[in-house]
Amino acid sequence: MFKKNFLIVILLFSIVIYGQSQPSNLSQNSEFISNFKHLSAQQLLDTAEYYIENNLSDIALACYSLIINTPVKDTDFEQQKKKVTAYNGAAIRCYYMCDYRSAYEFLIKALILCEKINYVSHYAKIYNNIGNIYYRFKKYDIAKLNYAKALNLCHDTASIVVILNNLGSTDLEGGKMDSAFYFFNKSLTMSKLYNDVHSFSILNNIALLYKKEKQYDSAFYYFRLSLNESRKNNKTEKEADNLSSLSNLFFEINKYDSALFYADLSNTIAVENNFLEILAENYLTISKIEELKGSNKKSLENLKKYAQLKDSIFNTDIFGDINQLQRLYEISKTDQQIEQLYIEQQIKERTIYFQKILWFGTLCVLLLLGAGLLFFYLQNRNLNRAYKALFEKNIEIIDIQEKSSEIDREKVNKKVLVNKMQDELIDKIITVMEDTTLICDMEFSIDKLAELVESNQKYVSQAVNTVFRKNFRSFLNSYRIKEAQRLFSEPDAVNYTIESVALKVGFKSRTAFRDAFKEITGINPNLYLKLMQEARAS
Protein backbone atom coordinates (compact mmCIF):
# COMPACT_ATOMS: atom_id res chain seq x y z
CA MET A 1 0.00 0.00 0.00
CA PHE A 2 2.85 2.40 0.87
CA LYS A 3 4.61 1.52 -2.38
CA LYS A 4 1.47 2.24 -4.42
CA ASN A 5 0.90 5.62 -2.73
CA PHE A 6 4.57 6.51 -3.21
CA LEU A 7 4.31 5.82 -6.96
CA ILE A 8 1.19 7.99 -7.20
CA VAL A 9 2.97 10.87 -5.44
CA ILE A 10 5.93 10.57 -7.88
CA LEU A 11 3.48 10.53 -10.80
CA LEU A 12 1.65 13.61 -9.56
CA PHE A 13 4.96 15.43 -9.01
CA SER A 14 6.03 14.71 -12.57
CA ILE A 15 2.65 15.88 -13.86
CA VAL A 16 2.97 19.17 -11.97
CA ILE A 17 6.35 19.84 -13.59
CA TYR A 18 4.96 18.86 -16.97
CA GLY A 19 1.89 20.99 -16.41
CA GLN A 20 3.90 24.09 -15.55
CA SER A 21 5.64 23.94 -18.89
CA GLN A 22 2.36 23.55 -20.89
CA PRO A 23 -0.50 24.97 -18.83
CA SER A 24 -2.82 25.88 -21.70
CA ASN A 25 -3.54 22.45 -23.20
CA LEU A 26 -3.53 20.06 -20.26
CA SER A 27 -7.15 18.96 -20.64
CA GLN A 28 -6.62 18.33 -24.39
CA ASN A 29 -3.33 16.44 -24.22
CA SER A 30 -4.01 12.71 -24.63
CA GLU A 31 -0.54 11.72 -23.45
CA PHE A 32 -1.08 13.67 -20.23
CA ILE A 33 -4.55 12.16 -19.59
CA SER A 34 -3.23 8.64 -20.22
CA ASN A 35 -1.08 9.01 -17.09
CA PHE A 36 -4.29 9.04 -15.02
CA LYS A 37 -6.14 6.13 -16.62
CA HIS A 38 -4.83 3.49 -14.24
CA LEU A 39 -6.21 5.38 -11.21
CA SER A 40 -9.50 4.36 -9.58
CA ALA A 41 -12.47 6.75 -9.42
CA GLN A 42 -11.74 7.57 -5.77
CA GLN A 43 -8.06 8.21 -6.54
CA LEU A 44 -9.08 10.51 -9.41
CA LEU A 45 -11.40 12.45 -7.07
CA ASP A 46 -8.57 12.80 -4.54
CA THR A 47 -6.18 13.90 -7.29
CA ALA A 48 -8.66 16.49 -8.55
CA GLU A 49 -9.05 17.83 -5.00
CA TYR A 50 -5.27 18.13 -4.70
CA TYR A 51 -4.99 20.20 -7.89
CA ILE A 52 -7.96 22.39 -6.95
CA GLU A 53 -6.15 23.32 -3.72
CA ASN A 54 -3.16 24.28 -5.89
CA ASN A 55 -5.31 26.37 -8.27
CA LEU A 56 -4.81 24.05 -11.28
CA SER A 57 -8.38 23.70 -12.53
CA ASP A 58 -7.43 22.21 -15.93
CA ILE A 59 -5.86 19.14 -14.34
CA ALA A 60 -8.81 18.77 -11.95
CA LEU A 61 -11.19 18.89 -14.94
CA ALA A 62 -9.16 16.17 -16.67
CA CYS A 63 -9.59 13.92 -13.63
CA TYR A 64 -13.34 14.59 -13.48
CA SER A 65 -13.66 13.92 -17.24
CA LEU A 66 -12.05 10.49 -16.87
CA ILE A 67 -14.59 9.54 -14.18
CA ILE A 68 -17.52 10.93 -16.19
CA ASN A 69 -16.52 9.16 -19.42
CA THR A 70 -15.76 5.79 -17.81
CA PRO A 71 -18.73 3.38 -18.33
CA VAL A 72 -20.36 2.25 -15.08
CA LYS A 73 -22.88 -0.56 -14.51
CA ASP A 74 -26.35 0.54 -13.46
CA THR A 75 -26.11 -1.74 -10.42
CA ASP A 76 -22.79 -0.27 -9.24
CA PHE A 77 -24.27 2.46 -7.02
CA GLU A 78 -20.96 3.42 -5.38
CA GLN A 79 -19.37 4.20 -8.75
CA GLN A 80 -22.53 6.04 -9.80
CA LYS A 81 -22.23 8.21 -6.69
CA LYS A 82 -18.61 9.01 -7.58
CA LYS A 83 -19.78 10.02 -11.06
CA VAL A 84 -22.31 12.42 -9.48
CA THR A 85 -19.46 13.91 -7.41
CA ALA A 86 -17.39 14.27 -10.59
CA TYR A 87 -20.24 16.02 -12.45
CA ASN A 88 -20.65 18.43 -9.57
CA GLY A 89 -16.89 19.02 -9.26
CA ALA A 90 -16.57 19.64 -13.02
CA ALA A 91 -19.48 22.10 -12.84
CA ILE A 92 -17.75 24.07 -10.07
CA ARG A 93 -14.50 24.23 -12.06
CA CYS A 94 -16.36 25.44 -15.17
CA TYR A 95 -18.23 27.98 -13.05
CA TYR A 96 -14.99 29.49 -11.72
CA MET A 97 -13.64 29.55 -15.29
CA CYS A 98 -16.81 31.48 -16.30
CA ASP A 99 -17.97 28.65 -18.59
CA TYR A 100 -21.50 28.81 -17.23
CA ARG A 101 -23.16 26.78 -19.98
CA SER A 102 -20.88 23.78 -19.38
CA ALA A 103 -21.29 24.19 -15.63
CA TYR A 104 -25.08 24.09 -15.94
CA GLU A 105 -24.97 21.10 -18.27
CA PHE A 106 -22.85 19.15 -15.78
CA LEU A 107 -25.24 20.04 -12.95
CA ILE A 108 -28.30 18.88 -14.92
CA LYS A 109 -26.57 15.55 -15.65
CA ALA A 110 -25.67 15.23 -11.97
CA LEU A 111 -29.30 15.95 -11.01
CA ILE A 112 -30.67 13.32 -13.44
CA LEU A 113 -28.20 10.70 -12.16
CA CYS A 114 -29.03 11.59 -8.53
CA GLU A 115 -32.72 11.01 -9.21
CA LYS A 116 -31.95 7.73 -10.95
CA ILE A 117 -29.97 6.26 -8.04
CA ASN A 118 -31.83 8.20 -5.31
CA TYR A 119 -28.62 9.90 -4.11
CA VAL A 120 -30.50 12.30 -1.81
CA SER A 121 -27.48 13.58 0.14
CA HIS A 122 -26.06 15.29 -2.99
CA TYR A 123 -29.21 17.19 -4.03
CA ALA A 124 -28.40 20.14 -1.77
CA LYS A 125 -24.96 20.71 -3.34
CA ILE A 126 -26.38 20.57 -6.88
CA TYR A 127 -29.28 22.95 -6.23
CA ASN A 128 -26.91 25.37 -4.46
CA ASN A 129 -24.58 25.40 -7.49
CA ILE A 130 -27.52 25.89 -9.89
CA GLY A 131 -28.54 28.84 -7.72
CA ASN A 132 -25.00 30.26 -8.07
CA ILE A 133 -25.27 30.26 -11.87
CA TYR A 134 -28.63 32.07 -11.84
CA TYR A 135 -27.14 34.53 -9.33
CA ARG A 136 -24.32 35.32 -11.77
CA PHE A 137 -26.93 36.22 -14.39
CA LYS A 138 -28.73 38.41 -11.83
CA LYS A 139 -31.79 36.16 -11.81
CA TYR A 140 -32.08 36.50 -8.06
CA ASP A 141 -35.60 35.12 -7.67
CA ILE A 142 -34.70 31.87 -9.46
CA ALA A 143 -31.41 31.71 -7.56
CA LYS A 144 -33.23 32.06 -4.24
CA LEU A 145 -35.68 29.27 -5.14
CA ASN A 146 -32.76 26.91 -5.77
CA TYR A 147 -30.99 27.99 -2.56
CA ALA A 148 -34.22 27.36 -0.60
CA LYS A 149 -34.46 23.86 -2.13
CA ALA A 150 -30.85 23.22 -1.17
CA LEU A 151 -31.43 24.36 2.41
CA ASN A 152 -34.47 22.09 2.83
CA LEU A 153 -32.48 19.07 1.62
CA CYS A 154 -29.22 19.83 3.42
CA HIS A 155 -28.02 18.08 6.59
CA ASP A 156 -24.34 19.03 6.46
CA THR A 157 -23.35 21.97 8.70
CA ALA A 158 -20.62 23.32 6.39
CA SER A 159 -23.02 23.31 3.42
CA ILE A 160 -25.77 24.99 5.47
CA VAL A 161 -23.31 27.82 6.28
CA VAL A 162 -22.71 28.36 2.54
CA ILE A 163 -26.41 28.18 1.60
CA LEU A 164 -27.46 30.66 4.31
CA ASN A 165 -24.78 33.05 3.07
CA ASN A 166 -26.07 32.67 -0.50
CA LEU A 167 -29.66 33.34 0.61
CA GLY A 168 -28.41 36.50 2.29
CA SER A 169 -26.71 37.55 -0.95
CA THR A 170 -29.94 37.25 -2.96
CA ASP A 171 -31.83 39.33 -0.38
CA LEU A 172 -29.01 41.88 -0.38
CA GLU A 173 -29.29 42.28 -4.16
CA GLY A 174 -33.07 42.52 -3.80
CA GLY A 175 -32.76 45.35 -1.26
CA LYS A 176 -34.08 43.27 1.67
CA MET A 177 -31.47 44.45 4.14
CA ASP A 178 -32.98 43.07 7.35
CA SER A 179 -33.49 39.63 5.83
CA ALA A 180 -29.99 39.66 4.33
CA PHE A 181 -28.40 40.60 7.65
CA TYR A 182 -30.39 37.80 9.38
CA PHE A 183 -29.00 35.18 6.97
CA PHE A 184 -25.44 36.56 7.14
CA ASN A 185 -25.48 36.69 10.93
CA LYS A 186 -26.89 33.15 11.24
CA SER A 187 -24.34 31.85 8.73
CA LEU A 188 -21.44 33.58 10.53
CA THR A 189 -22.56 32.27 13.93
CA MET A 190 -22.68 28.69 12.62
CA SER A 191 -19.35 29.15 10.88
CA LYS A 192 -17.63 30.20 14.12
CA LEU A 193 -19.40 27.52 16.15
CA TYR A 194 -18.24 24.69 13.89
CA ASN A 195 -14.86 26.19 12.92
CA ASP A 196 -15.96 26.44 9.29
CA VAL A 197 -13.53 28.00 6.76
CA HIS A 198 -16.18 29.94 4.79
CA SER A 199 -16.24 32.96 7.07
CA PHE A 200 -14.28 35.06 4.55
CA SER A 201 -17.21 34.96 2.11
CA ILE A 202 -19.73 35.85 4.83
CA LEU A 203 -17.59 38.73 6.08
CA ASN A 204 -17.31 40.04 2.51
CA ASN A 205 -21.10 39.99 2.13
CA ILE A 206 -21.60 41.79 5.46
CA ALA A 207 -19.16 44.43 4.20
CA LEU A 208 -21.19 44.80 0.98
CA LEU A 209 -24.34 45.24 3.09
CA TYR A 210 -22.73 48.07 5.10
CA LYS A 211 -21.47 49.60 1.85
CA LYS A 212 -25.03 49.66 0.48
CA GLU A 213 -26.16 51.28 3.72
CA LYS A 214 -23.32 53.84 3.20
CA GLN A 215 -21.73 52.87 6.53
CA TYR A 216 -18.26 53.00 4.99
CA ASP A 217 -16.17 52.55 8.13
CA SER A 218 -17.99 49.31 8.98
CA ALA A 219 -17.76 48.19 5.37
CA PHE A 220 -13.98 48.78 5.29
CA TYR A 221 -13.58 46.91 8.59
CA TYR A 222 -15.37 43.80 7.31
CA PHE A 223 -13.63 43.91 3.90
CA ARG A 224 -10.28 43.83 5.71
CA LEU A 225 -11.43 40.95 7.93
CA SER A 226 -12.56 39.02 4.87
CA LEU A 227 -9.27 39.76 3.08
CA ASN A 228 -7.24 38.45 6.02
CA GLU A 229 -9.36 35.27 6.20
CA SER A 230 -9.00 34.74 2.42
CA ARG A 231 -5.21 34.99 2.61
CA LYS A 232 -5.08 32.74 5.67
CA ASN A 233 -7.08 30.04 3.88
CA ASN A 234 -5.27 30.48 0.54
CA LYS A 235 -8.49 31.51 -1.28
CA THR A 236 -6.96 33.52 -4.14
CA GLU A 237 -10.22 34.23 -5.97
CA LYS A 238 -11.86 35.59 -2.83
CA GLU A 239 -8.68 37.63 -2.11
CA ALA A 240 -8.90 39.19 -5.59
CA ASP A 241 -12.64 39.79 -5.07
CA ASN A 242 -12.01 41.49 -1.70
CA LEU A 243 -9.38 43.77 -3.21
CA SER A 244 -11.79 44.62 -6.04
CA SER A 245 -14.51 45.41 -3.49
CA LEU A 246 -12.12 47.68 -1.58
CA SER A 247 -11.34 49.45 -4.84
CA ASN A 248 -15.07 50.06 -5.41
CA LEU A 249 -15.45 51.26 -1.82
CA PHE A 250 -12.71 53.88 -2.15
CA PHE A 251 -14.07 54.95 -5.53
CA GLU A 252 -17.47 55.54 -3.96
CA ILE A 253 -15.98 57.79 -1.25
CA ASN A 254 -13.89 59.69 -3.88
CA LYS A 255 -10.48 58.37 -2.80
CA TYR A 256 -9.30 57.56 -6.32
CA ASP A 257 -5.63 56.83 -5.62
CA SER A 258 -6.57 54.19 -3.04
CA ALA A 259 -9.18 52.80 -5.45
CA LEU A 260 -6.55 52.43 -8.20
CA PHE A 261 -4.10 50.84 -5.74
CA TYR A 262 -6.53 48.10 -4.74
CA ALA A 263 -7.75 47.59 -8.33
CA ASP A 264 -4.15 47.00 -9.50
CA LEU A 265 -3.55 44.51 -6.66
CA SER A 266 -6.74 42.67 -7.58
CA ASN A 267 -5.86 42.65 -11.29
CA THR A 268 -2.44 41.11 -10.60
CA ILE A 269 -4.09 38.09 -8.95
CA ALA A 270 -7.01 37.95 -11.42
CA VAL A 271 -4.76 37.96 -14.53
CA GLU A 272 -2.50 35.27 -13.06
CA ASN A 273 -5.47 33.00 -12.26
CA ASN A 274 -7.80 33.96 -15.14
CA PHE A 275 -10.55 35.36 -12.89
CA LEU A 276 -12.40 37.00 -15.78
CA GLU A 277 -15.39 38.46 -13.95
CA ILE A 278 -13.18 40.16 -11.36
CA LEU A 279 -10.99 41.53 -14.16
CA ALA A 280 -14.06 42.95 -15.86
CA GLU A 281 -15.24 44.74 -12.70
CA ASN A 282 -11.76 46.16 -12.12
CA TYR A 283 -11.51 47.47 -15.68
CA LEU A 284 -14.86 49.21 -15.26
CA THR A 285 -13.74 50.86 -11.99
CA ILE A 286 -10.41 51.95 -13.50
CA SER A 287 -12.24 53.34 -16.55
CA LYS A 288 -14.46 55.50 -14.32
CA ILE A 289 -11.48 56.74 -12.30
CA GLU A 290 -9.48 57.64 -15.43
CA GLU A 291 -12.48 59.49 -16.83
CA LEU A 292 -12.81 61.56 -13.62
CA LYS A 293 -9.07 62.30 -13.75
CA GLY A 294 -9.40 63.53 -17.36
CA SER A 295 -7.53 60.62 -18.96
CA ASN A 296 -10.13 59.86 -21.61
CA LYS A 297 -7.86 57.60 -23.65
CA LYS A 298 -7.05 55.31 -20.68
CA SER A 299 -10.69 55.40 -19.67
CA LEU A 300 -11.79 54.22 -23.13
CA GLU A 301 -9.13 51.46 -23.24
CA ASN A 302 -10.29 50.04 -19.91
CA LEU A 303 -13.94 50.36 -20.91
CA LYS A 304 -13.27 48.32 -24.09
CA LYS A 305 -11.56 45.61 -22.01
CA TYR A 306 -14.55 45.57 -19.68
CA ALA A 307 -17.02 45.29 -22.59
CA GLN A 308 -15.06 42.48 -24.28
CA LEU A 309 -14.90 40.44 -21.07
CA LYS A 310 -18.58 41.02 -20.28
CA ASP A 311 -19.58 39.91 -23.79
CA SER A 312 -17.55 36.71 -23.45
CA ILE A 313 -18.82 35.91 -19.94
CA PHE A 314 -22.43 37.06 -19.95
CA ASN A 315 -24.37 37.04 -23.18
CA THR A 316 -27.91 36.21 -24.14
CA ASP A 317 -26.87 33.12 -26.13
CA ILE A 318 -25.29 31.50 -23.06
CA PHE A 319 -28.32 32.25 -20.89
CA GLY A 320 -30.58 30.99 -23.68
CA ASP A 321 -28.62 27.73 -23.71
CA ILE A 322 -29.04 27.47 -19.94
CA ASN A 323 -32.79 27.96 -20.25
CA GLN A 324 -32.93 25.37 -23.03
CA LEU A 325 -31.08 22.86 -20.83
CA GLN A 326 -33.55 23.55 -18.01
CA ARG A 327 -36.50 22.93 -20.36
CA LEU A 328 -34.95 19.68 -21.65
CA TYR A 329 -34.42 18.54 -18.06
CA GLU A 330 -38.05 19.30 -17.17
CA ILE A 331 -39.28 17.45 -20.30
CA SER A 332 -37.05 14.48 -19.45
CA LYS A 333 -38.38 14.49 -15.90
CA THR A 334 -41.99 14.57 -17.18
CA ASP A 335 -41.28 11.63 -19.51
CA GLN A 336 -39.83 9.70 -16.58
CA GLN A 337 -42.94 10.43 -14.52
CA ILE A 338 -45.22 9.21 -17.37
CA GLU A 339 -43.15 6.04 -17.73
CA GLN A 340 -43.29 5.50 -13.99
CA LEU A 341 -47.09 5.90 -14.03
CA TYR A 342 -47.35 3.34 -16.84
CA ILE A 343 -45.22 0.85 -14.90
CA GLU A 344 -47.31 1.43 -11.79
CA GLN A 345 -50.50 0.80 -13.78
CA GLN A 346 -49.12 -2.52 -15.07
CA ILE A 347 -48.20 -3.54 -11.54
CA LYS A 348 -51.72 -2.70 -10.35
CA GLU A 349 -53.32 -4.78 -13.12
CA ARG A 350 -51.09 -7.74 -12.32
CA THR A 351 -51.91 -7.62 -8.63
CA ILE A 352 -55.74 -7.36 -8.87
CA TYR A 353 -56.14 -11.14 -8.79
CA PHE A 354 -53.89 -11.49 -5.78
CA GLN A 355 -55.68 -8.63 -4.05
CA LYS A 356 -59.01 -10.44 -4.44
CA ILE A 357 -57.53 -13.55 -2.86
CA LEU A 358 -56.04 -11.40 -0.12
CA TRP A 359 -59.41 -9.71 0.53
CA PHE A 360 -61.16 -13.08 0.78
CA GLY A 361 -58.49 -14.39 3.15
CA THR A 362 -58.70 -11.21 5.20
CA LEU A 363 -62.49 -11.57 5.47
CA CYS A 364 -62.10 -15.14 6.75
CA VAL A 365 -59.50 -14.03 9.27
CA LEU A 366 -61.75 -11.18 10.42
CA LEU A 367 -64.69 -13.59 10.88
CA LEU A 368 -62.50 -15.92 12.92
CA LEU A 369 -61.15 -12.97 14.87
CA GLY A 370 -64.68 -11.72 15.51
CA ALA A 371 -65.76 -15.14 16.76
CA GLY A 372 -62.69 -15.25 18.99
CA LEU A 373 -63.41 -11.79 20.37
CA LEU A 374 -67.04 -12.75 21.05
CA PHE A 375 -65.92 -15.88 22.87
CA PHE A 376 -63.40 -13.85 24.84
CA TYR A 377 -66.08 -11.25 25.68
CA LEU A 378 -68.50 -13.92 26.96
CA GLN A 379 -65.76 -15.59 28.97
CA ASN A 380 -64.67 -12.27 30.41
CA ARG A 381 -68.28 -11.36 31.28
CA ASN A 382 -68.76 -14.67 33.08
CA LEU A 383 -65.47 -14.20 34.90
CA ASN A 384 -66.48 -10.71 36.01
CA ARG A 385 -69.77 -12.08 37.29
CA ALA A 386 -67.92 -14.76 39.24
CA TYR A 387 -65.57 -12.15 40.72
CA LYS A 388 -68.51 -9.95 41.67
CA ALA A 389 -70.25 -12.88 43.38
CA LEU A 390 -67.00 -13.69 45.19
CA PHE A 391 -66.67 -10.07 46.27
CA GLU A 392 -70.23 -10.04 47.61
CA LYS A 393 -69.51 -13.26 49.47
CA ASN A 394 -66.45 -11.63 51.06
CA ILE A 395 -68.57 -8.69 52.18
CA GLU A 396 -71.11 -11.07 53.70
CA ILE A 397 -68.34 -12.94 55.54
CA ILE A 398 -66.95 -9.67 56.93
CA ASP A 399 -70.42 -8.65 58.18
CA ILE A 400 -70.98 -12.05 59.78
CA GLN A 401 -67.54 -11.99 61.42
CA GLU A 402 -68.17 -8.54 62.88
CA LYS A 403 -71.57 -9.57 64.33
CA SER A 404 -70.62 -12.97 65.73
CA SER A 405 -66.91 -12.82 66.56
CA GLU A 406 -67.51 -13.45 70.27
CA ILE A 407 -69.94 -16.33 69.66
CA ASP A 408 -67.47 -17.96 67.24
CA ARG A 409 -64.70 -17.65 69.78
CA GLU A 410 -66.82 -19.47 72.41
CA LYS A 411 -67.75 -22.21 69.92
CA VAL A 412 -64.16 -22.77 69.00
CA ASN A 413 -63.05 -22.93 72.59
CA LYS A 414 -65.81 -25.34 73.63
CA LYS A 415 -65.17 -27.68 70.70
CA VAL A 416 -61.40 -27.84 70.79
CA LEU A 417 -59.90 -26.71 74.07
CA VAL A 418 -59.78 -29.15 76.91
CA ASN A 419 -58.58 -27.03 79.79
CA LYS A 420 -58.75 -23.58 81.18
CA MET A 421 -55.10 -22.74 80.45
CA GLN A 422 -55.50 -23.32 76.72
CA ASP A 423 -58.74 -21.36 76.77
CA GLU A 424 -56.98 -18.38 78.32
CA LEU A 425 -54.10 -18.66 75.83
CA ILE A 426 -56.45 -18.56 72.83
CA ASP A 427 -58.30 -15.57 74.31
CA LYS A 428 -55.01 -13.71 74.67
CA ILE A 429 -53.92 -14.62 71.12
CA ILE A 430 -57.20 -13.40 69.64
CA THR A 431 -57.04 -10.20 71.69
CA VAL A 432 -53.53 -9.46 70.39
CA MET A 433 -54.42 -10.36 66.78
CA GLU A 434 -57.36 -7.98 66.84
CA ASP A 435 -55.04 -5.10 67.76
CA THR A 436 -54.13 -3.82 64.27
CA THR A 437 -51.43 -1.50 65.59
CA LEU A 438 -49.51 -4.62 66.67
CA ILE A 439 -50.11 -7.09 63.82
CA CYS A 440 -49.65 -4.47 61.05
CA ASP A 441 -46.08 -3.86 62.19
CA MET A 442 -43.79 -5.41 59.55
CA GLU A 443 -41.58 -6.83 62.34
CA PHE A 444 -44.46 -8.64 64.08
CA SER A 445 -43.66 -12.36 64.49
CA ILE A 446 -44.65 -15.47 66.43
CA ASP A 447 -41.94 -14.63 68.95
CA LYS A 448 -43.51 -11.20 69.50
CA LEU A 449 -46.96 -12.84 69.86
CA ALA A 450 -45.64 -15.36 72.41
CA GLU A 451 -44.06 -12.53 74.37
CA LEU A 452 -47.33 -10.54 74.38
CA VAL A 453 -49.45 -13.52 75.54
CA GLU A 454 -46.81 -14.46 78.17
CA SER A 455 -46.17 -17.89 76.68
CA ASN A 456 -43.58 -19.46 74.45
CA GLN A 457 -43.43 -19.96 70.68
CA LYS A 458 -44.08 -23.69 70.83
CA TYR A 459 -47.35 -23.41 72.78
CA VAL A 460 -48.55 -20.48 70.67
CA SER A 461 -47.81 -22.31 67.40
CA GLN A 462 -49.49 -25.47 68.69
CA ALA A 463 -52.59 -23.57 69.80
CA VAL A 464 -52.90 -21.76 66.41
CA ASN A 465 -52.46 -25.01 64.47
CA THR A 466 -54.92 -26.92 66.65
CA VAL A 467 -57.70 -24.37 66.90
CA PHE A 468 -57.51 -22.46 63.60
CA ARG A 469 -56.05 -25.22 61.39
CA LYS A 470 -53.42 -22.76 60.04
CA ASN A 471 -49.74 -22.06 60.42
CA PHE A 472 -48.76 -18.76 61.99
CA ARG A 473 -47.99 -17.01 58.64
CA SER A 474 -51.44 -17.82 57.18
CA PHE A 475 -53.08 -16.94 60.54
CA LEU A 476 -51.33 -13.53 60.59
CA ASN A 477 -52.10 -12.86 56.89
CA SER A 478 -55.83 -13.50 57.47
CA TYR A 479 -55.96 -10.70 60.07
CA ARG A 480 -53.86 -8.34 57.95
CA ILE A 481 -56.03 -8.93 54.85
CA LYS A 482 -59.12 -8.34 56.99
CA GLU A 483 -57.65 -4.95 57.92
CA ALA A 484 -56.91 -4.25 54.24
CA GLN A 485 -60.54 -5.00 53.39
CA ARG A 486 -61.59 -2.53 56.06
CA LEU A 487 -59.32 0.15 54.56
CA PHE A 488 -60.73 -0.50 51.08
CA SER A 489 -64.25 0.05 52.44
CA GLU A 490 -63.46 3.53 53.81
CA PRO A 491 -64.94 6.55 51.93
CA ASP A 492 -61.51 7.97 51.00
CA ALA A 493 -60.19 4.59 49.76
CA VAL A 494 -60.22 6.04 46.23
CA ASN A 495 -57.10 8.01 47.23
CA TYR A 496 -55.22 4.88 48.32
CA THR A 497 -52.74 2.97 46.21
CA ILE A 498 -52.24 -0.78 46.48
CA GLU A 499 -48.66 -0.18 47.62
CA SER A 500 -49.71 2.18 50.43
CA VAL A 501 -52.36 -0.26 51.73
CA ALA A 502 -49.86 -3.14 51.58
CA LEU A 503 -47.41 -1.18 53.71
CA LYS A 504 -50.13 -0.08 56.16
CA VAL A 505 -51.17 -3.66 56.93
CA GLY A 506 -47.61 -4.90 57.38
CA PHE A 507 -46.54 -6.38 53.99
CA LYS A 508 -43.07 -5.53 52.79
CA SER A 509 -43.90 -5.80 49.07
CA ARG A 510 -46.83 -5.34 46.70
CA THR A 511 -46.34 -8.87 45.35
CA ALA A 512 -46.55 -10.55 48.75
CA PHE A 513 -49.68 -8.52 49.58
CA ARG A 514 -51.35 -9.35 46.27
CA ASP A 515 -50.65 -13.10 46.62
CA ALA A 516 -51.96 -13.20 50.21
CA PHE A 517 -55.04 -11.12 49.35
CA LYS A 518 -55.98 -13.35 46.40
CA GLU A 519 -55.36 -16.53 48.43
CA ILE A 520 -57.74 -15.40 51.20
CA THR A 521 -60.43 -13.52 49.22
CA GLY A 522 -60.14 -15.17 45.79
CA ILE A 523 -59.80 -11.72 44.15
CA ASN A 524 -56.76 -9.56 43.47
CA PRO A 525 -56.70 -6.27 45.43
CA ASN A 526 -57.09 -4.01 42.37
CA LEU A 527 -60.33 -5.68 41.34
CA TYR A 528 -61.56 -5.78 44.95
CA LEU A 529 -61.02 -2.02 45.30
CA LYS A 530 -62.76 -1.37 41.95
CA LEU A 531 -65.79 -3.51 42.92
CA MET A 532 -65.92 -1.83 46.34
CA GLN A 533 -66.04 1.60 44.66
CA GLU A 534 -68.79 0.44 42.28
CA ALA A 535 -70.79 -0.98 45.19
CA ARG A 536 -70.40 2.29 47.11
CA ALA A 537 -71.45 4.34 44.05
CA SER A 538 -74.59 2.24 43.56
Side-chain angles (χ1 to χ4, degrees), residues 39 103 109 151 160 270 376 395 427 496 527:
L39 298 178
K109 288 179 178 179
L151 188 62
I160 290 173
F376 176 77
I395 297 299
D427 282 339
Y496 295 162
L527 181 57

Side-chain angles (χ1 to χ4, degrees), residues 158 161 191 194-202 229-230 233 235:
V161 168
S191 176
Y194 294 100
N195 296 319
D196 187 73
V197 297
H198 294 92
S199 60
F200 54 83
S201 182
I202 307 166
E229 286 293 315
S230 301
N233 290 285
K235 299 295 180 180

Side-chain angles (χ1 to χ4, degrees), residues 100 104 133-134 137 318-326:
Y100 299 118
Y104 198 85
I133 292 174
Y134 280 109
F137 283 88
I318 292 175
F319 191 69
D321 289 343
I322 288 173
N323 282 334
Q324 179 66 18
L325 285 169
Q326 178 65 24

Side-chain angles (χ1 to χ4, degrees), residues 87-313:
Y87 275 131
N88 192 54
I92 294 170
R93 292 306 99 209
C94 289
Y95 172 84
Y96 284 128
M97 295 163 71
C98 298
D99 183 0
Y100 299 118
R101 188 196 184 284
S102 297
Y104 198 85
E105 186 174 358
F106 281 129
L107 290 171
I108 292 298
K109 288 179 178 179
L111 199 57
I112 291 170
L113 186 54
C114 270
E115 291 170 351
K116 180 180 177 182
I117 64 175
N118 197 29
Y119 192 14
V120 179
S121 63
H122 229 75
Y123 277 133
K125 294 179 180 178
I126 297 169
Y127 280 120
N128 182 66
N129 290 331
I130 290 174
N132 288 340
I133 292 174
Y134 280 109
Y135 183 88
R136 286 294 190 196
F137 283 88
K138 303 186 186 304
K139 303 295 180 181
Y140 302 122
D141 290 342
I142 304 175
K144 190 170 183 177
L145 285 174
N146 282 280
Y147 291 145
K149 281 184 184 178
L151 188 62
N152 288 334
L153 294 165
C154 191
H155 301 288
D156 173 57
T157 302
S159 298
I160 290 173
V161 168
V162 173
I163 297 166
L164 288 170
N165 185 41
N166 290 340
L167 282 166
S169 296
T170 57
D171 283 341
L172 178 63
E173 294 295 338
K176 300 174 182 177
M177 298 303 179
D178 290 340
S179 178
F181 186 79
Y182 166 78
F183 283 120
F184 292 149
N185 188 52
K186 190 171 182 180
S187 179
L188 187 61
T189 301
M190 288 184 68
S191 176
K192 289 178 179 178
L193 187 61
Y194 294 100
N195 296 319
D196 187 73
V197 297
H198 294 92
S199 60
F200 54 83
S201 182
I202 307 166
L203 292 167
N204 183 71
N205 283 332
I206 293 173
L208 290 172
L209 186 148
Y210 281 119
K211 181 171 173 283
K212 274 200 169 188
E213 294 285 337
K214 300 190 182 304
Q215 297 181 33
Y216 297 115
D217 288 342
S218 296
F220 179 76
Y221 171 76
Y222 279 101
F223 276 135
R224 290 298 301 182
L225 283 180
S226 178
L227 182 62
N228 292 337
E229 286 293 315
S230 301
R231 287 169 173 169
K232 186 171 71 174
N233 290 285
N234 195 30
K235 299 295 180 180
T236 51
E237 183 179 20
K238 188 53 65 177
E239 182 183 355
D241 189 36
N242 283 146
L243 292 168
S244 179
S245 296
L246 283 167
S247 174
N248 281 321
L249 174 67
F250 281 110
F251 173 76
E252 194 166 316
I253 59 176
N254 303 320
K255 294 186 177 181
Y256 303 127
D257 290 339
S258 296
L260 279 173
F261 171 75
Y262 282 110
D264 288 339
L265 286 178
S266 178
N267 268 350
T268 301
I269 300 170
V271 169
E272 184 180 345
N273 294 277
N274 203 32
F275 298 149
L276 302 182
E277 188 175 357
I278 297 172
L279 273 173
E281 291 300 322
N282 289 337
Y283 286 140
L284 179 61
T285 303
I286 293 170
S287 173
K288 291 177 181 178
I289 294 170
E290 295 296 347
E291 183 182 6
L292 290 170
K293 292 173 69 176
S295 301
N296 293 328
K297 185 178 179 182
K298 288 183 179 180
S299 174
L300 186 59
E301 287 174 358
N302 282 283
L303 189 60
K304 284 181 179 179
K305 290 179 182 178
Y306 164 76
Q308 288 170 354
L309 283 172
K310 277 294 180 180
D311 284 342
S312 65
I313 298 171

Side-chain angles (χ1 to χ4, degrees), residues 6 25 58 173 229 232 294 321 347 359 428 432 477 488 535:
F6 179 74
N25 297 311
D58 282 346
E173 294 295 338
E229 286 293 315
K232 186 171 71 174
D321 289 343
I347 293 171
W359 291 339
K428 289 179 179 179
V432 171
N477 283 349
F488 285 147

